[in-house]
Amino acid sequence: MTDEELAKDLGPLAALTIGVGTMIGAGIFVLPGDAILQAGSLAVVSFVLGGAIALLTALSASELGTAMPKSGGAYYYVNRALGPLFGSIAGWANWMGLAFASAFYMVGFGQYISNIFGMADGYTLAGITLPSVKIVALAGAALFVMVNYIGAKETGRLQNVIVIILVIILSVFTFVGALRANPANLPESNGFGPMMTTTGLIFVSYLGFVQITSVAEEIKDPDRNLPRAVIGSVLIVTAIYALVLVVMSMAVEKGFIAELASGTDKIAVVEVARLLLGPAGAIAMLIGGLLATASSANASILASSRINFAMGRDRIVTPELNEIHNRYGTPYRAIAITGALILVFIVVAPIETLATMGSVLHLIIYGLLNLALIVMREADVPEYEPSYTVPLYPITPIVGAFVSFALIAFINPNIILLSIGFVIFASAWYLGYARTRTTESGELSEWILSRSDEMPDSAVNAANTVAPDGGQFRVMVPLANPEHEKDLISLASAIAKQRGGTVVATHIVQVPDQTSLSYAKDHVDEMDPGNRELLDSAREDAEAFDVPVETHTILSHRSFEEVFDAARDHNADLVVMGWGPHSHGRAESRVDELTQDVPCDFLVLKDRGFDPDRVLVPTAGGPDSDLSAEVALALQSQYESEIELLYVRRTDEETHEEAESFLNEWAADHDLTNATYIVDDGGDVEDAIERHARDASMLIVGATERGLLSRLLRGSLVMDVISDVDCSVLLAEKERKTSIRERLFGRR
């Protein structure tokens, strides 16, 4: 699947108004009355404090946005820096947070429409009664979802018009109010605690600036326009908030706003405008509130759908959401799903819940975004070259992360619990769904794994545990003998390259039982002087194939048995290992055969010189032969190997024609139709393999299905063949679950 791209059709003013338009609506036209009721004279401080917290994150978002102008904004930065687990948390929180906020704005929109037209309290349709405010909110949300469906250019133009009108209305309101302002009218302060609680409530007003980065992929000249839009929108809106709150608090009698907020359905900012400017002022403010809440919802729907789009592109959710509309050039499926969620939230949640859910989820994102900046800087990512850098690094992102997380503590505990539930859901979603589909690791985990010898074991294990494995085929190579290192790595790299995968070279250092592993970690060079040289050679040999490579030293009191655990820990899809004293025609040792399943596919190489020129693949069907075919196909693609398929006819059970038919069908099923087909009528499998392997440079044979007791008593076909042929032998065993009976006596 090719990556879809979005057209760059948002200019600097459109980018700025996305931020301003999102923030200005709820902050001025919905929440001031409640803020003054809760915090008193410190309501102004709450808005300024919220702006200061937002500004810290805006600085970090500007740097990240100029370095990575990608659709998805904060989600994309967190996913790239901290990895897909945190990316899933940020993505779901950002997506759901914006959907909650959009629903909140649309309910505010409904309040203004209801006030303008004097609508009834509610209406009943099909036996369901909904408040008129919510009915209007549903209709408005559907309208703006359609606007976003049509395209970003139309959205940007609409934002420009709305924000210009709002600035004019608010400028007149502020100027007239300043002439009437009297400090004696300021309400009493309700103290620090209520002020911080109010800051948490109104923080939903500061979501717009990061949403600019969500459409960074569509902004013209993002190096210049993105920082200006992000930082400028926060400064402009914070200044407007402060002026309007001061005017509202000082231009009317003490207690007037608190009475409105607590005892009536009237909108505080409209009633203040009525006192200051008469009916015309109230009408102008009603129109302004209508436009403001509409612009907030419009911009939030735009940004939230792009986050959904980015998550689909990274396979955190299904990539089918990536589909771009042929006519409009928008991710129409992402927009449709986001719109449906907004409609559901409008119906089921009260307005206070919508606002506070939007606040908490975005505070989580902002904290993670600041941490993402620190990771990108400290990991020294080569391609990370921002055109704008935050001042006073690392103080700015550290303080930004701290205050974002700390403010959550002052929000309604029930909302906090609900938000924690979202975080748990997002983590479970990644581990249960996205981890097996997404492919990109974060810079943090790559930085840890590249220094696995220096990092604490707990950090390395955690990085491996949450590492994505979807689409990234991982081939682990346990190395022991330097003489066979190059051949094993070459085989593994050839397979990994054909599968778009990664080679994981491991060296297991066996530590005596009397020696602690912690001591061995500090003296690994003394215990195994050739460790570093062996892994360095493996890295060079794998890089010659232009495949990603990881190297790991594993300290264990076990040797061969540790391979199974290492395969699980490193999420291996295939293990390529050398033939050793523990190989008995199966990947397991005799003891492990009774207690363990093969954790992934295994290839065991009896190395007599790695030469993939002419490869013989005997087959009688079955899963191990399937793996043999996959390996043969990879070698053919990498080395243009000549493949010969051998089937030994069971003389008493089938005719030559039936044997040929089986081999033809098997080859077609495994994409090996260009191989040479050989049907041997001798009936003796061991003799046939030995004869046809004389001219082969490599033999790939499936592991025997005979059980442990059978092999101990009567020997093994595989063991006999390996002893009789002169070429290298590659034993293939597919991952499987086997019962104890099957382990002892084999399969029927």
Side-chain angles (χ1 to χ4, degrees), residues 217-495:
E217 202 170 346
E218 301 166 68
I219 295 176
K220 301 174 183 177
D221 192 9
D223 287 348
R224 296 181 57 194
N225 293 331
L226 192 145
R228 292 177 179 179
V230 171
I231 298 171
S233 65
V234 173
L235 294 175
I236 290 171
V237 170
T238 302
I240 292 175
Y241 286 166
L243 289 172
V244 171
L245 262 292
V246 168
V247 167
M248 285 187 64
S249 299
M250 298 173 61
V252 296
E253 294 182 0
K254 185 182 297 186
F256 176 77
I257 293 176
E259 182 179 352
L260 283 175
S262 61
T264 71
D265 294 329
K266 295 180 180 180
I267 301 171
V269 70
V270 174
E271 297 308 311
V272 172
R274 191 188 306 277
L275 287 177
L276 297 178
L277 299 167
I283 293 173
M285 198 58 69
L286 282 169
I287 294 173
L290 194 64
L291 293 175
T293 52
S295 83
S296 294
N298 181 51
S300 295
I301 293 168
L302 168 64
S304 61
S305 65
R306 295 320 193 262
I307 292 163
N308 193 327
F309 169 78
M311 292 171 70
R313 181 165 57 186
D314 293 333
R315 297 180 182 273
I316 298 294
V317 295
T318 175
E320 292 181 1
L321 294 178
N322 279 5
E323 185 167 335
I324 300 297
H325 197 286
N326 290 333
R327 178 179 178 185
Y328 302 124
T330 57
Y332 67 99
R333 289 179 176 174
I335 292 171
I337 292 175
T338 300
L341 287 170
I342 293 170
L343 296 177
V344 170
F345 293 159
I346 289 173
V347 172
V348 302
I351 188 169
E352 295 82 4
T353 299
L354 296 173
T356 49
M357 280 298 300
S359 290
V360 174
L361 292 175
H362 277 83
L363 285 168
I364 293 171
I365 299 161
Y366 292 175
L368 293 175
L369 185 146
N370 283 284
L371 295 178
L373 172 62
I374 296 171
V375 168
M376 295 303 289
R377 286 279 198 104
E378 297 305 315
D380 196 22
V381 180
E383 63 271 24
Y384 184 75
E385 298 178 352
S387 57
Y388 169 86
T389 55
V390 299
L392 301 177
Y393 178 86
I395 296 174
T396 300
I398 290 174
V399 174
F402 174 78
V403 296
S404 296
F405 291 134
L407 186 58
I408 295 174
F410 295 94
I411 294 178
N412 186 309
N414 292 329
I415 301 300
I416 295 175
L417 290 175
L418 187 57
S419 301
I420 291 173
F422 265 102
V423 171
I424 294 173
F425 163 77
S427 301
W429 176 270
Y430 170 73
L431 295 174
Y433 173 85
R435 183 171 177 267
T436 59
R437 292 166 174 82
T438 189
T439 61
E440 297 295 330
S441 297
E443 297 296 340
L444 177 60
S445 61
E446 291 182 5
W447 184 81
I448 291 173
L449 293 176
S450 67
R451 294 162 175 79
S452 57
D453 293 344
E454 308 166 13
M455 301 298 295
D457 291 340
S458 56
V460 176
N461 291 336
N464 280 318
T465 299
V466 301
D469 61 3
Q472 187 180 62
F473 193 76
R474 294 174 64 81
V475 185
M476 192 184 89
V477 188
L479 297 171
N481 189 343
E483 295 181 4
H484 299 301
E485 172 271 320
K486 188 176 184 65
D487 288 348
L488 290 171
I489 291 293
S490 296
L491 174 60
S493 299
I495 296 172

Side-chain angles (χ1 to χ4, degrees), residues 466-704:
V466 301
D469 61 3
Q472 187 180 62
F473 193 76
R474 294 174 64 81
V475 185
M476 192 184 89
V477 188
L479 297 171
N481 189 343
E483 295 181 4
H484 299 301
E485 172 271 320
K486 188 176 184 65
D487 288 348
L488 290 171
I489 291 293
S490 296
L491 174 60
S493 299
I495 296 172
K497 185 172 184 177
Q498 297 304 316
R499 298 289 296 270
T502 297
V503 172
V504 183
T506 61
H507 179 47
I508 299 173
V509 178
Q510 187 173 10
V511 179
D513 291 340
Q514 296 85 351
T515 303
S516 69
L517 295 181
S518 59
Y519 175 86
K521 182 178 180 180
D522 296 332
H523 299 82
V524 64
D525 290 336
E526 299 173 16
M527 304 195 69
D528 194 328
N531 171 61
R532 293 185 184 275
E533 182 179 353
L534 180 63
L535 292 178
D536 287 345
S537 297
R539 178 177 293 277
E540 293 176 4
D541 291 333
E543 288 175 346
F545 285 78
D546 195 27
V547 296
V549 58
E550 301 173 8
T551 58
H552 303 277
T553 299
I554 301 173
L555 302 171
S556 176
H557 292 303
R558 304 178 297 167
S559 56
F560 174 81
E561 296 87 346
E562 186 63 35
V563 172
F564 279 16
D565 287 342
R568 295 186 182 95
D569 292 342
H570 292 283
N571 303 309
D573 298 287
L574 174 69
V575 171
V576 176
M577 61 184 295
W579 195 274
H582 297 281
S583 300
H584 304 286
R586 294 289 295 274
E588 310 107 316
S589 71
R590 297 187 182 188
V591 173
D592 286 330
E593 246 183 311
L594 294 175
T595 59
Q596 296 195 38
D597 291 309
V598 179
C600 63
D601 295 346
F602 265 74
L603 297 177
V604 185
L605 177 64
K606 182 68 171 180
D607 193 3
R608 298 186 176 101
F610 180 69
D611 181 3
D613 182 58
R614 188 172 183 180
V615 178
L616 177 66
V617 182
T619 180
D624 293 335
S625 291
D626 294 343
L627 178 57
S628 299
E630 293 174 18
V631 176
L633 191 61
L635 293 176
Q636 185 182 62
S637 299
Q638 179 67 30
Y639 296 104
E640 298 183 354
S641 304
E642 180 183 344
I643 308 298
E644 293 182 338
L645 304 180
L646 172 64
Y647 179 72
V648 181
R649 180 171 69 89
R650 295 167 291 181
T651 55
D652 296 334
E653 301 178 19
E654 59 188 340
T655 65
H656 184 86
E657 289 73 20
E658 290 172 336
E660 283 184 334
S661 177
F662 164 81
L663 192 55
N664 287 333
E665 291 178 6
W666 188 88
D669 290 342
H670 295 84
D671 297 323
L672 290 171
T673 53
N674 59 351
T676 300
Y677 303 166
I678 303 172
V679 175
D680 190 289
D681 294 315
D684 188 322
V685 176
E686 180 181 348
D687 178 68
I689 294 176
E690 181 183 354
R691 283 189 286 106
H692 293 286
R694 290 170 186 167
D695 296 327
S697 61
M698 179 178 292
L699 169 66
I700 306 178
V701 59
T704 178

Side-chain angles (χ1 to χ4, degrees), residues 142-157:
L143 171 65
F144 285 107
V145 168
M146 184 59 64
V147 168
N148 280 271
Y149 190 97
I150 292 173
K153 184 180 295 185
E154 288 75 9
T155 300
R157 289 174 178 173

